[in-house]
Structure formats: structure tokens, C-alpha cells
Amino acid sequence: MVAFGKKLKERQFPEWQKYYMNYKLMKKKVKQYAQQIQVSGQDRRHVLKEFSRMLDTQIEKIVLFVLEQQGVLAGRIDKLGEQRAALEEQPDISQISELREAYREVGRDLLKLLHFVEINATGLRKILKKFDKRCGYRFTDYYVSSRSNHPYSQLQQVFKHVGIGAVVGALSRNLADIQDRQGSYLSIYDQPSVTFKDPVIDTIKAAVDRLTHSTNFLGFLGQHALIIQPEEIPTPQEEQAEEERYHFMSLVLNLANTFLYMVNTYIIVPTADDYSLSLGAAATVCGVIIGSMAVAQVFSSIYFSAWSNKSYFRPLVFSSIVLLLGNTMYALAYDLDSLTVLIAGRLFCGLGSARAVNRRYISDCVPLKIRMQASAAFVSASALGMACGPALAGLLQTNFKIYALTFNQVTLPGWVMSLAWLVYLLWVWISFKEPHRETEDHVVPEEVDAGTTENEGLENGLRQPLILSSEDKKQDEDGDPEYDESEEAPEESRKPATSIASAYRLLTPSVKVQLLIYFMLKYAMEILLSESSVITTYYFNWTTSSVAIFLACLGLTVLPVNIIVGSYISNMFEDRQILLASEIMVCIGIVLSFNISSHYSVPQYICSALITFVFSEVLEGVNLSLLSRVMSSRLARGTYNGGLLSTEAGTLARVVADGTITLAGYLGENKLLNITLLPSLAICIGSIAATLLTYNSLF
């Protein structure tokens, strides 16, 4: 591991050497402050004040230099603009080519400035982390929040990229105007959806994206899937290794697995109560039928996560076989007249949940340049499967027999999914390509399931946040040699969690609150979806087709909602603001769902369900975005990663919700709605209170 101090020296531009953060001096000062506090008991307030001033001085030096260089670049662009105006009067092809190259040279110098900002930002983050660790004080929280929220913030001057954005815009516009536009009078501002392509501009935008927390649609979906980008640009060797591991058809097969599993999950929801009644059980036993898949998934997530450390092909084959068997058992339960076989079939389906493998494949084997698109495709496949499941169930309204086998609306979902998994199994066997691994137990650090490496960042600032989790701050990942004997070695401190217990110990209060919110929203959604058939039949006499259409319409709102939030709302508000507002709206949706009158109307049910479901979707995206930023780096890889913890939280929520439906059913269907909504309301109020308590730590 290369020490960061050495890396800083290697990546410095010699002519700008005096403007870089003095990392070596700052590191020595941190060690000195730690000794003063421990040995002489020096007042911490004095140390914090002195260290704050030193940081302010270093940051001011960086910021003023960046502003100066932005002015130089702006002046060069202005002079080139004068030359372009002269060429418009007397065009000369050779001079136009020279002018285009001159603009590109400005772009290359801008890229150089971006690299300057990036290395200094990394140094600042690491020195704050060192101070917190050695001095035993959460100074980073105070420093970043006080500096970034101040109207004269120098941190914001760098990390908001206002000046840099203006320079990029000027370069893009001028290069686009120079390029042959077939006589069009439109500029890039008249066609914002059309991205101007130039190799220099593309490289600059990629560098800006690394520094800036992305809020576009693809970025939002990528975070929604807990699939993130690495902190630094991969080396050419790493890029070549990624290209060698990548296989397009294997990626498609993982996305298809995600889609089919979501279809499998929701295809039985409209008919689960009817199936339960046909086997002599109460309609509310549908909660057990639906939830048994989630029960098994609690365990399957762990072994699939571990299995993906060694192979992707074998887990996918195993998943297909288990799901084929589980769906066949589900379909046969009707003719066998066995509720036990029915539930066992759903348990087998849950044991075939390979979503951990699907996420892991994208993070490990898809090249960085298309990883965000693959992440967005993962979320889209999940949303599409969620909508197609109930819709497909609505189409399977028939009844016939072949020999002793019955094919009707309750058994056909099982038969259809069995056939689908059989076809998928053959497809995987023929087309999947196992990626090359350097070592058998090698684990790629960018494991997406887990979220990112740090705790809290500047508002809409760095993609790699500045504030770190309390446990993460106990690590020192830069590999610098200056350690006390009592400190962990860098490699040791970077090891992933080896058990659920050790992973839990890495959870900070902010992470625990985000996991609580995730539990709450999954609980509320599961209550809404799983009991929809029973509730609508009892109050409104809806048919299976009506329930299927209703659930399909809810599922179809997922992508439009993510587009609106990812493309617009997240650009207007902070994530924590959207988070709190969404929690409040979910709470309002739950309250509106209660039956408090003698007549429970269809408009009331549909409107309250839409509010609950839509804002739960908004909440899920923002929640996972924040979770990816507040999670320890030790939860970014390995079997017991952050993604596994969030998956377990959501799966447990589904299990508890489905169990609640079945238990509440013993009190009568007339009381089912209100009784199942009470826990949802209580958990939602609790999550809002927890969010308010940790609000200032969510950056």
C-alpha cells in the first residue's frame, strides 16, 4: 500500500508545489496535539481552536490559488473568443483547427486544476480522520458543518464548483460552435438534452463527477441499488483487468435474474388469499404464504453473499434450480391439498434469492465507465419485475386440467415461473462466462452492496465525503508509517467484518437510524401490498384482476418517481430534507389509510395507498443514498457488508409485516386494516424522531 504522503508528492505538479496542502506538517501537528492532550492534559478547546486555524489557513491557500487559476483560464478563453470573432469574418480552415486545439489546451489545463483540487480534498479528508482518531474527538463533524454552512465558506467555493462549471460551459459552447453544425443556428443552451461530445470535455466532466456528488437520474438509481463508484481513477492495468472480466451476456443474465425474482415475489400477491381459502385456511394466512419467501431470504442472502466471493456461475445455477423446485411445489400444493407443501415451496423460492450475487457481479465485473448504467439497469429490472408480477397474475384467469394437474389462477403463477426458471437455467448454462479471478478468495473492494467508505460529506459536495463514521475514523487507510504502537496496522484496519456481530459493532448512530428508516418503509410497503387482496375483497368486492391491475399500477410508479427525484428534486433540496419530508408524507399516507367511519371508500384507499407507496419509493432512494455515505469502509466489502445488512433489515421488515397480517387476521377481517396499520404508524413516528435527532450528521 502506497502511503498517501508519498502519493501526494508523486502526483504534485512541481510548478504548483507551494500551493498544495502541507500534509506532512499537518500530520506532525496532529501527532503533537495528541501527545499534548494525553501527556500534559492540555485544554482540548485550545487544541481545537489552534488546529481549526491551521486548517483554515491551508484551505484558504488552496482556494485562493484555485480562484486565481480559474481567472487565468477565463482570460485565455476570452482572448480565444476574440480570435474566433476575427475568424468568423475571414474564415481559414487551418486557423480554425489551431483555434480548436487552443480551446482543448485550455481544457487540459482545467483538468490539471481539477486534479489539484482532488488530491488536496483527499488530503483534507485524511488529516481530519487522523485528528479524530488520535485525539479522540469528533472534530470533523463540527469543522465541516460549521465551514460548509457559512455564507463565506471557502470549502463551498471549491466543492460546489461554480467557477469550474462556468469554464467547462464556456469551453463546451465554443468548441461546439467551431464544430460543423450543418448550418444550425441552435447552441448547446437551446438543445440541453443533446450532449456535446469532445474527448477533452468528456474527460473534464468525468473528473468533475468524481468530485461532485452526482444527482442525475443514473447516479440516483445507482445509489438506489447501493452500487457506487470507487474513490480514485483506476489505473490502465486495472481498467484492462475490468475489461477482461466483463462479459455483456453475463451482465444481462444477472439483470434477468433480478427481474425474474421480483416477478416471482409479487406474482402470487393478488391470488394468495384465494389459494389459502382453497386449502381450507383463512384468507389472512396469505401473510404467511407471501412472507415465507422473505423468511428464507434472511438466510439465503448470507450464503449467497459468501458464495459470490468465489464464483458467480454456480450460485446462479443453484438459484435457478431451487426456484424451479420451489415454484413447482407451490403449483402442486393445490392438487395435493397441502398448505405445508405450499409454504415449503415459497420457502424454497426464498432460498434461491441471488440478488446479492447480482449486485456483486455489477460491482466486481462491470467496467467503471458503464457501472452506473448497469446499476440503473439493476434498479429498473427490479421495478419492472415488481410491476409485471401482479400484471401477469391478472392475465392468468383460466381453469383447466391436464391429467391430474390443475391449472387455474392460483396454480398458474407457480407453473409459469417454473417454466421461466427452467429456460433461465438453460440460458445461464449455455451463455454465462465465469470472470477470471486473481486469487480464489480475492474480494474486490468496490463491493457495492455495501455503500461507500465514509460517513458524512459536504452538502452536495464531494462524491467521497469528508466526514467519517466513528468506527471508520478509528482506521487509517493511507498507509503512512507514523503510528503509535497501540494503533492498528493499516492493512489490519481495512479488513472487512467477519460476522454479523462485528458488522453491527461498526454501525454508527446515523447508520442505525438509516437502517431503521429502511425497515420502516419496507414494513409499510409490505403491509400495503400483502393485505391488498384481502382488504379490497372485504371492503370493495374487487376481483383478482382488479387487484392485479391496482398492484401493477403501483409498481409502474417506481421509475417515474425515481426520474423526478433523481433529475429534479435532488438538485433542489438536500438529501436529508427529502428524507424527512418523505417520512412525514409516508406517515400522512398511513394515517389516511385508517378506517374511522362506517363507510370506507375506494378513493380513500387508493389515494392513501398511492401516497404511502410513492413516498416510500422516494424515501428508499434517498435513504440508500445517505446510507451509502454514512457507512464504514470496512462494510464496503466481504461477506458481511453494508448491503447485506440493509437487505436483512428490509427482509426482516417483510417477515414481521406478513406475520402481523396473519396474526391480526385471527381478530377478524373487519379489524385487519386498522390493526396492521398501527405498528406502521408507530415505527414511522419513531423513525421521524430518530431522523430529527441525527439530522445534523446527515450530509
Side-chain angles (χ1 to χ4, degrees):
M1 179 182 294
V2 180
F4 177 74
K6 184 177 180 181
K7 184 189 294 185
L8 176 62
K9 289 182 179 179
E10 291 174 351
R11 294 182 62 181
Q12 282 183 357
F13 299 109
E15 65 273 23
W16 291 355
Q17 187 174 3
K18 65 179 180 179
Y19 301 107
Y20 284 89
M21 167 183 279
N22 194 332
Y23 184 76
K24 186 175 181 180
L25 172 65
M26 297 293 289
K27 194 168 63 172
K28 288 182 178 179
K29 282 291 184 181
V30 168
K31 188 174 183 180
Q32 178 183 330
Y33 290 144
Q35 291 173 346
Q36 289 175 355
I37 292 173
Q38 293 172 2
V39 178
S40 62
Q42 186 170 345
D43 185 9
R44 283 194 177 188
R45 287 176 297 179
H46 174 74
V47 170
L48 295 177
K49 186 176 181 180
E50 187 175 339
F51 187 61
S52 296
R53 285 179 176 173
M54 185 176 298
L55 275 176
D56 290 340
T57 301
Q58 292 289 323
I59 292 171
E60 183 177 89
K61 174 180 69 175
I62 296 166
V63 168
L64 292 178
F65 177 72
V66 170
L67 292 175
E68 178 188 341
Q69 291 302 307
Q70 288 177 2
V72 171
L73 294 175
R76 289 169 61 185
I77 292 173
D78 185 56
K79 289 183 179 180
L80 292 174
E82 295 175 0
Q83 296 178 28
R84 190 167 71 85
L87 281 174
E88 286 178 355
E89 296 178 1
Q90 295 182 343
D92 184 293
I93 295 178
S94 61
Q95 290 185 7
I96 290 175
S97 298
E98 292 176 3
L99 184 62
R100 182 187 293 111
E101 188 56 36
Y103 274 117
R104 287 175 176 166
E105 188 60 35
V106 175
R108 294 185 189 97
D109 288 342
L110 175 60
L111 187 61
K112 181 178 172 182
L113 185 62
L114 284 168
H115 288 160
F116 171 85
V117 174
E118 181 181 18
I119 196 69
N120 280 288
T122 304
L124 172 62
R125 176 175 57 80
K126 288 182 177 294
I127 210 68
L128 285 169
K129 181 171 145 185
K130 277 183 179 292
F131 186 88
D132 283 355
K133 174 185 174 181
R134 298 204 176 197
C135 299
Y137 186 80
R138 293 197 64 173
F139 170 75
T140 304
D141 294 17
Y142 155 74
Y143 187 81
V144 174
S145 60
S146 62
R147 267 54 177 182
S148 64
N149 293 326
H150 195 277
Y152 303 130
S153 168
Q154 292 179 326
L155 283 177
Q156 294 283 31
Q157 286 291 325
V158 176
F159 301 131
K160 283 292 185 179
H161 308 306
V162 176
I164 289 176
V167 176
V168 175
L171 285 172
S172 299
R173 186 187 68 81
N174 282 283
L175 282 170
D177 286 347
I178 291 173
Q179 182 175 296
D180 180 19
R181 304 185 64 83
Q182 288 81 38
S184 171
Y185 59 87
L186 297 176
S187 73
I188 61 171
Y189 303 112
D190 299 312
Q191 297 174 302
S193 61
V194 179
T195 304
F196 172 68
K197 294 292 183 182
D198 184 272
V200 175
I201 298 298
D202 289 344
T203 306
I204 292 171
K205 288 180 178 177
V208 173
D209 285 343
R210 285 197 310 274
L211 285 170
T212 308
H213 174 59
S214 178
T215 54
N216 59 29
F217 178 46
L218 287 180
F220 185 78
L221 284 185
Q223 290 169 328
H224 196 120
L226 274 181
I227 295 176
I228 54 135
Q229 308 301 310
E231 175 183 350
E232 297 182 359
I233 309 173
T235 63
Q237 292 79 8
E238 290 170 337
E239 287 182 339
Q240 183 178 356
E242 285 180 342
E243 291 290 346
E244 290 175 355
R245 286 196 301 268
Y246 176 59
H247 182 238
F248 175 73
M249 186 55 67
S250 299
L251 172 61
V252 171
L253 283 163
N254 275 278
L255 296 177
N257 184 280
T258 297
F259 170 76
L260 287 176
Y261 188 79
M262 293 303 290
V263 172
N264 210 150
T265 300
Y266 290 99
I267 194 172
I268 72 157
V269 173
T271 58
D273 58 334
D274 292 337
Y275 210 160
S276 178
L277 289 170
S278 70
L279 297 178
T284 51
V285 174
C286 69
V288 173
I289 297 172
I290 296 170
S292 55
M293 191 170 179
V295 171
Q297 191 177 340
V298 171
F299 303 99
S300 66
S301 297
I302 297 175
Y303 68 72
F304 272 115
S305 181
W307 203 350
S308 63
N309 290 333
K310 298 185 177 181
S311 175
Y312 301 103
F313 174 72
R314 289 191 291 273
L316 290 179
V317 170
F318 176 78
S319 167
S320 305
I321 294 172
V322 171
L323 282 158
L324 172 60
L325 178 61
N327 281 288
T328 302
M329 293 174 64
Y330 181 86
L332 288 173
Y334 185 87
D335 293 307
L336 296 173
D337 194 25
S338 173
L339 184 63
T340 302
V341 173
L342 179 69
I343 294 174
R346 289 295 286 179
L347 285 169
F348 267 86
C349 289
L351 292 174
S353 173
R355 286 172 65 79
V357 179
N358 306 146
R359 285 194 184 101
R360 186 69 174 269
Y361 184 86
I362 293 174
S363 66
D364 287 2
C365 305
V366 175
L368 179 62
K369 60 186 178 183
I370 61 169
R371 191 172 300 160
M372 190 61 75
Q373 290 90 327
S375 305
F378 175 84
V379 175
S380 301
S382 299
L384 189 60
M386 185 179 183
C388 287
L392 184 58
L395 297 175
L396 302 176
Q397 303 302 300
T398 187
N399 192 349
F400 61 93
K401 295 192 75 167
I402 299 178
Y403 297 107
L405 299 179
T406 303
F407 297 86
N408 57 25
Q409 66 176 13
V410 298
T411 63
L412 274 171
W415 291 121
V416 168
M417 293 312 303
S418 294
L419 178 61
W421 286 113
L422 177 60
V423 172
Y424 179 80
L425 175 61
L426 296 174
W427 187 14
V428 168
W429 195 271
I430 295 170
S431 302
F432 192 88
K433 180 182 177 182
E434 185 76 82
H436 171 72
R437 292 171 181 266
E438 293 181 5
T439 59
E440 187 66 12
D441 60 348
H442 176 66
V443 180
V444 178
E446 293 91 315
E447 162 56 32
V448 166
D449 260 285
T452 65
T453 59
E454 311 297 351
N455 186 358
E456 301 149 11
L458 289 176
E459 168 192 341
N460 293 327
L462 288 176
R463 173 180 290 278
Q464 178 65 23
L466 290 176
I467 306 182
L468 309 150
S469 68
S470 58
E471 285 293 334
D472 202 28
K473 289 168 186 171
K474 293 178 183 177
Q475 309 163 43
D476 199 326
E477 62 188 38
D478 60 15
D480 290 326
E482 294 181 13
Y483 286 91
D484 298 329
E485 292 181 1
S486 61
E487 293 181 304
E488 284 185 294
E491 290 293 341
E492 189 70 24
S493 68
R494 287 173 60 86
K495 286 185 177 179
T498 55
S499 66
I500 288 287
S502 61
Y504 181 81
R505 287 194 293 270
L506 294 173
L507 303 184
T508 63
S510 296
V511 175
K512 291 177 181 177
V513 169
Q514 295 309 306
L515 290 175
L516 171 64
I517 294 171
Y518 193 66
F519 180 94
M520 179 273 291
L521 69 91
K522 285 297 182 184
Y523 183 93
M525 290 174 69
E526 190 71 11
I527 288 289
L528 170 64
L529 298 174
S530 295
E531 71 178 11
S532 59
S533 183
V534 179
I535 295 298
T536 54
T537 301
Y538 178 79
Y539 286 105
F540 317 128
N541 292 318
W542 280 9
T543 63
T544 299
S545 297
S546 299
V547 178
I549 292 171
F550 170 68
L551 294 176
C553 289
L554 285 180
L556 288 173
T557 63
V558 174
L559 283 180
V561 166
N562 280 323
I563 290 172
I564 293 170
V565 175
S567 299
Y568 302 104
I569 296 178
S570 57
N571 289 322
M572 300 165 60
F573 303 99
E574 299 176 32
D575 281 355
R576 56 181 178 173
Q577 293 174 329
I578 303 173
L579 182 85
L580 183 58
S582 299
E583 287 181 273
I584 294 171
M585 290 305 299
V586 170
C587 189
I588 291 173
I590 294 171
V591 170
L592 292 177
S593 299
F594 278 91
N595 180 17
I596 56 176
S597 64
S598 58
H599 178 66
Y600 192 58
S601 65
V602 173
Q604 178 186 350
Y605 178 75
I606 292 178
C607 290
S608 60
L610 274 173
I611 292 172
T612 303
F613 187 84
V614 167
F615 282 97
S616 292
E617 278 299 322
V618 175
L619 184 59
E620 181 175 4
V622 179
N623 168 249
L624 293 179
S625 173
L626 284 169
L627 188 61
S628 70
R629 279 185 268 159
V630 300
M631 205 166 268
S632 166
S633 62
R634 291 182 63 190
L635 294 173
R637 52 199 165 299
T639 300
Y640 300 96
N641 53 65
L644 176 64
L645 294 180
S646 62
T647 299
E648 295 291 85
T651 305
L652 285 172
R654 292 173 54 204
V655 171
V656 174
D658 291 322
T660 303
I661 293 171
T662 300
L663 292 175
Y666 287 106
L667 300 176
E669 292 184 15
N670 60 325
K671 297 179 180 179
L672 177 65
L673 179 65
N674 288 348
I675 291 176
T676 53
L677 287 174
L678 282 173
S680 296
L681 182 61
I683 299 171
C684 188
I685 293 172
S687 72
I688 292 173
T691 300
L692 291 173
L693 289 174
T694 59
Y695 187 77
N696 289 330
S697 66
L698 301 175
F699 286 90

